Every structure is written in C-alpha cells, then in structure tokens.
Amino acid sequence: MFNSFKDITLFKKASEINLRITEFFNNVSEAGLLFEQGMKSFFFEKRMPEFEEFLSGLRKMEQRNDSLRQTIEASLYRYTLLPESRSDIVRLLENTDKLINKYESILGNVFVEHPSLEGVDREELKEFISLNVKAVEMLIISARSFFSNMQAVENTVHKVSFYEKQVDKIAFALKKKLFESEVDLAVKLQSRAYISSIEFLSDAAEDIADELVIYTMKRLV
C-alpha cells in the first residue's frame, strides 16, 4: 500500500527506469548480432548491400542507446532513486555503451577502408569474431541479473573471462600466421590492427565484468 502520491510517483519512475535499462541492454545485445552479421557479409559472403544495411542499423542502434543512456542517467539523478547504487549504475551503463560504440566503429572502418585481411585464416577469424560477441553477450546477461537477481550474477559473469581467454589464444594464432605469411608488410599491419580492434571487445567486456562483480559484492555483504 502506498502512503502518498509521492510514493506512487517514485514507484512509477522506478518502473520506467527499469524498462529503459532493459531496452538499453537489449540494444547492446542486438548490436552484437548486427556486428557479427555485418562482418560475415563483408568478409565471408562479399555482400556489400547487406553489409551496408547492417552498418546502417548499427548506427541507428548506437544513436538510440546514447539517447537512452542519457535519459536513464538524468532520471536517476532527478528522482534520486537508488542513491547508493546510482554511481555504479551510471558507470556500468557508460562503460557498456562503449561496446556498442566499438561495434559501430569497427564496421565503419571496414566500410571506409575495405580491408582484405589477406593472410588471416578465415575460419579462425569467423570464430574469433563470434567469441568476442559471446563475451559481450555474457556480460549483458550478467548485467541484467544485477538488476533482477544479484545472486545469479556469479553464475554467468565468469563466462566472460572464459571467452576472453579463448579470444586471446585465437588472436595470438591469427597474428602469428599473419606475420609468417608472404603478404606485404602494410597489409600485415592493417590486418593486425583489425584483429586488435576486435579483440578490444572481449577485453573491455572482461573489465566491465570485473567491476560488476565488485558492484554485486558491495550489495550482497
């Protein structure tokens, strides 16, 4: 039973914020799918029209999430909801938003530069891309739990590190084979830069996951 109109208003605002946070994480998750399909259409299927559609969709998703994040943060401060958790939530959202920005940045660079990634094993590259997206997705699943069932965070957050370690192994193998190949040095350097750029996704996801564990422990002790 609510004691006042103010109680009802705060409950309504909290519900609205939760819905926006859910949408925010949904967008990051969908952005990963757009990124993976975009990379697939460019490097493995050579379908530029489809690639451009994925890039366009990803750019719209990035813009939507930037606006959504700003709205959530403003609401948190305006209505002073969850004051103890507010700064942690803001940091979680801002860091997670960087992942969708990175998705868009990589696809945008591919569109501009048309890299060949000559000398890079295609099957390993496909797995490499997929594992990076999986690392981000496990972070999103863990972040969702932070808002719904904190005890469940530890059930998934460790998988982010698992995928990050798998990415490290493949990244090393890709770079090793690349520099053992006969392609021009300029191509090797460009390809290595792309490998490192994609690898950033799982590295960043693991860093955010480590912070998420701390946020969770602060509230469960």
Side-chain angles (χ1 to χ4, degrees):
M1 179 70 69
F2 296 110
N3 296 321
S4 67
F5 177 76
K6 180 180 179 182
D7 290 336
I8 298 174
T9 301
L10 288 177
F11 178 80
K12 180 181 178 181
K13 293 303 178 182
S15 298
E16 290 174 357
I17 292 172
N18 285 335
L19 288 173
R20 289 187 177 118
I21 289 173
T22 297
E23 182 184 353
F24 176 89
F25 288 130
N26 286 347
N27 290 344
V28 178
S29 181
E30 186 174 338
L33 299 177
L34 291 171
F35 170 77
E36 187 168 5
Q37 289 300 313
M39 295 291 276
K40 180 180 178 182
S41 64
F42 184 91
F43 289 108
F44 308 107
E45 298 173 352
K46 306 299 182 183
R47 297 180 178 179
M48 282 303 296
E50 286 85 350
F51 169 78
E52 292 182 23
E53 288 180 10
F54 289 124
L55 175 57
S56 176
L58 189 49
R59 283 175 169 165
K60 292 177 182 177
M61 191 74 70
E62 180 196 17
Q63 293 172 357
R64 169 59 183 160
N65 244 32
D66 282 341
S67 175
L68 194 57
R69 175 181 55 77
Q70 292 167 4
T71 300
I72 294 169
E73 291 176 0
S75 296
L76 286 171
Y77 285 103
R78 182 178 301 118
Y79 300 105
T80 63
L81 298 169
L82 306 173
E84 296 179 1
S85 304
R86 192 165 52 204
S87 61
D88 288 346
I89 293 174
V90 168
R91 183 173 175 83
L92 175 61
L93 295 176
E94 289 180 346
N95 286 337
T96 304
D97 198 37
K98 293 176 183 177
L99 295 172
I100 198 171
N101 293 342
K102 190 64 175 180
Y103 281 142
E104 191 277 331
S105 173
I106 295 172
L107 278 197
N109 287 338
V110 168
F111 177 74
V112 171
E113 299 178 6
H114 282 248
S116 67
L117 297 193
E118 185 182 354
V120 176
D121 184 280
R122 283 300 186 264
E123 288 305 311
E124 287 188 339
L125 176 63
K126 186 181 295 185
E127 183 181 8
F128 180 67
I129 293 169
S130 177
L131 287 172
N132 274 280
V133 173
K134 286 181 179 178
V136 173
E137 180 60 25
M138 292 313 305
L139 168 67
I140 298 306
I141 292 173
S142 301
R144 291 183 195 275
S145 296
F146 178 74
F147 292 95
S148 59
N149 179 15
M150 286 191 184
Q151 286 82 0
V153 170
E154 64 178 328
N155 295 334
T156 53
V157 73
H158 66 93
K159 295 179 182 179
V160 180
S161 294
F162 171 80
Y163 286 124
E164 192 277 335
K165 289 181 175 59
Q166 296 300 111
V167 165
D168 279 350
K169 292 178 183 178
I170 298 179
F172 179 82
L174 285 172
K175 291 174 184 177
K176 185 173 184 295
K177 291 178 182 178
L178 173 64
F179 279 87
E180 289 175 347
S181 70
E182 299 299 322
V183 300
D184 293 341
L185 178 59
V187 174
K188 290 180 180 179
L189 294 177
Q190 183 189 46
S191 298
R192 183 182 64 181
Y194 271 93
I195 293 170
S196 297
S197 184
I198 297 168
E199 188 179 9
F200 170 89
L201 292 164
S202 59
D203 287 339
E206 184 179 42
D207 289 341
I208 300 169
D210 289 342
E211 292 188 352
L212 184 60
V213 170
I214 295 173
Y215 302 157
T216 304
M217 291 175 61
K218 285 163 61 177
R219 288 156 183 80
L220 291 179
V221 293

